[in-house]
Amino acid sequence: MGLKFRLPLIMLLVFIYGCSSSRKLTYFNDLAATSGADSLNRLQQLKIQPGDILQITITTLDKEISQIFNPNAAAAGPTANNGMEQGYLVDSIGNIALPVIGKINVKDKTTAEINDLVSHELEKTVRSAYVSTRLVNFRISVLGDVAHPGSFRIGAERASLLDALSMAGDLNVTAKRDDIMIIREVNGIKTYATINLNDSKTLSSPYYYLSNNDVIYVKPGPDRTFATSKTIQLLPAIIGVISLLTTIVILSK
C-alpha cells in the first residue's frame, strides 16, 4: 500500500481515537440535552453528627462573660499546639457541653440551627449575645485512580464531589468515570452510592454534596495495567507525529 493510501487511513485512525478518548475524559456528556433548572441540585445543609468538632463563638457586651464562653479565643487558629482541632466534641449521642448552659443536643442540626438553639438558651442568663458556629474537622478522603489521593480538610461547610476530585488533582486518564463510589457513615451505619460522572443526574444526587468523613473511591479502568507504560501513554502523540511526517514526505515529492 502506497503512502498516499496510508495517509488517509492514519488520519482516520487519529480522528477516531481522538473522538473516543475525548468522550471518555469529559464529564456530564448529556448535560447539553437537559434543562439547567431541572439538573441543578438544591444546596444541602451540612448536618452535625457524633464525632464532629464545633467551634462555637459567643460574643457579648461584657468582655468577662465572653471570656467565660470563649476560653480559647486568644489561640491562634482553630488547632491546638498538638495539631488537634479545638472546639466542642459532639459525643456519641449528639450532645455538647457548654459553659453555664450545660449539655445541648446538636445531632442532625445545621450550624444555623445550633446558633438559634444556643442563643435561645443564653437568653435565660445573658442579654444581647451573638453566636457563631462552624465545623472545624470537616475532612474527606479521595482514594483510587486519581492524581493525588489523600485526605483533605474542607474549610467551608459545603463541598461537592467535583471539589473533592479537584483537590485530588482530578481523575487519571485510566479511571472509570461512570463508577465512582462514595462511602458515608450515617448514624453509625456505613452507606455507599455509585456515581456516574457521565450522567447529569449526578448533580441531583444526595451524594453530590459531601458530608464529613466521606470516602471517595475512584475505580481504575481495564486499561490501568497497560497505562503504566510510557509508550502507551504517549501513543496519541506518536500517531500524530507519524501522521505529520508522512504528510511532509508526500508533499516533498
Side-chain angles (χ1 to χ4, degrees):
M1 184 183 294
L3 286 176
K4 63 179 181 179
F5 296 105
R6 286 188 218 159
L7 179 59
L9 178 60
I10 293 175
M11 296 297 292
L12 178 62
L13 290 175
V14 172
F15 176 77
I16 294 174
Y17 182 86
C19 290
S20 61
S21 298
S22 63
R23 179 71 175 179
K24 291 181 180 179
L25 298 181
T26 56
Y27 299 145
F28 310 120
N29 293 323
D30 64 337
L31 192 59
T34 63
S35 168
D38 292 339
S39 63
L40 290 178
N41 184 17
R42 291 185 178 180
L43 298 180
Q44 301 176 15
Q45 297 295 318
L46 190 68
K47 300 295 182 67
I48 300 303
Q49 297 295 319
D52 289 347
I53 299 177
L54 301 177
Q55 183 184 69
I56 302 178
T57 304
I58 300 174
T59 306
T60 68
L61 298 177
D62 190 321
K63 292 184 178 180
E64 293 183 358
I65 295 179
S66 296
Q67 182 62 31
I68 294 174
F69 287 110
N70 308 287
N72 299 316
T79 58
N81 293 331
N82 59 4
M84 299 295 291
E85 290 88 351
Q86 289 192 352
Y88 297 97
L89 175 65
V90 182
D91 65 20
S92 59
I93 58 176
N95 290 333
I96 58 173
L98 292 173
V100 180
I101 296 177
K103 288 187 177 181
I104 59 173
N105 190 279
V106 297
K107 182 180 178 182
D108 293 326
K109 290 181 171 58
T110 66
T111 54
E113 290 171 339
I114 295 173
N115 289 340
D116 293 338
L117 179 61
V118 174
S119 296
H120 177 72
E121 293 295 326
L122 285 173
E123 288 177 356
K124 301 175 183 178
T125 55
V126 181
R127 292 183 179 181
S128 303
Y130 173 77
V131 181
S132 176
T133 305
R134 62 186 296 265
L135 177 66
V136 296
N137 67 329
F138 190 178
R139 290 182 179 273
I140 54 92
S141 297
V142 184
L143 308 174
D145 202 0
V146 295
H148 307 293
S151 177
F152 304 93
R153 180 174 177 174
I154 308 297
E157 285 192 4
R158 182 181 295 111
S160 70
L161 173 60
L162 296 184
D163 292 329
L165 295 179
S166 297
M167 294 176 187
D170 204 357
L171 279 65
N172 291 327
V173 176
T174 53
K176 296 182 68 175
R177 282 159 171 73
D178 59 352
D179 194 7
I180 309 295
M181 179 181 292
I182 299 181
I183 304 171
R184 176 175 299 172
E185 183 173 326
V186 180
N187 295 324
I189 300 175
K190 295 289 186 181
T191 64
Y192 69 93
T194 298
I195 298 295
N196 181 0
L197 291 180
N198 291 325
D199 188 350
S200 61
K201 292 181 181 179
T202 294
L203 298 173
S204 299
S205 168
Y207 285 83
Y208 177 72
Y209 285 104
L210 304 176
S211 294
N212 194 16
N213 297 318
D214 275 0
V215 177
I216 302 165
Y217 174 60
V218 179
K219 298 180 181 179
D223 298 330
R224 174 62 178 175
T225 55
F226 299 100
T228 55
S229 168
K230 289 295 183 181
T231 303
I232 297 299
Q233 293 178 355
L234 296 176
L235 183 59
I238 293 173
I239 294 177
V241 171
I242 293 175
S243 176
L244 177 61
L245 292 176
T246 303
T247 303
I248 294 174
V249 170
I250 292 176
L251 295 178
S252 62
K253 291 185 177 181

